[in-house]
Amino acid sequence: MEQYLPLILSAIGGGVLGPVISKIFGGSGTGGVIGGIVGGLGGHYGADAAGLGDLLGAGIMSHIQDLLEGGVGGAILGVIAGMATKKGA
C-alpha cells in the first residue's frame, strides 16, 4: 500500500483543485474533476521524470509535496478539460 500512497495523494490534490480552478476560469465542474484527477497523476509522474524527488523532505512533507504536485497538474488539466466540456462553447 505504501507505494500507492503518493499516487492516491496526487489524485486527491488534483481532484480537489481541478474543479475549483476550472470554475474560477468559467469551465464546467465535471470536466474539472476528471481533468483534475488525470492531471494530478500526470503532475506526479512529470515531477518524478524531472527529478524533483523529495524537495520538501521526508515523512509528512513528502506527502504534502505529493498533494501539491497533484494540485498543480490537476489545476492545469482541470481548466483545459473544464473549458472543453463547457456548455454553449
Side-chain angles (χ1 to χ4, degrees):
M1 182 67 183
E2 185 67 30
Q3 71 265 20
Y4 297 118
L5 190 59
L7 295 174
I8 293 169
L9 290 173
S10 294
I12 290 172
V16 169
L17 281 181
V20 171
I21 303 297
S22 177
K23 282 301 227 183
I24 289 173
F25 285 104
S28 74
T30 305
V33 170
I34 295 168
I37 292 171
V38 172
L41 293 172
H44 175 73
Y45 280 116
D48 256 1
L52 301 176
D54 289 333
L55 291 177
L56 298 180
I60 190 70
M61 294 306 286
S62 175
H63 298 314
I64 291 173
Q65 181 178 343
D66 293 331
L67 281 169
L68 292 174
E69 288 171 358
V72 169
I76 293 169
L77 196 60
V79 166
I80 294 169
M83 292 295 228
T85 59
K86 184 177 171 182
K87 291 186 179 175

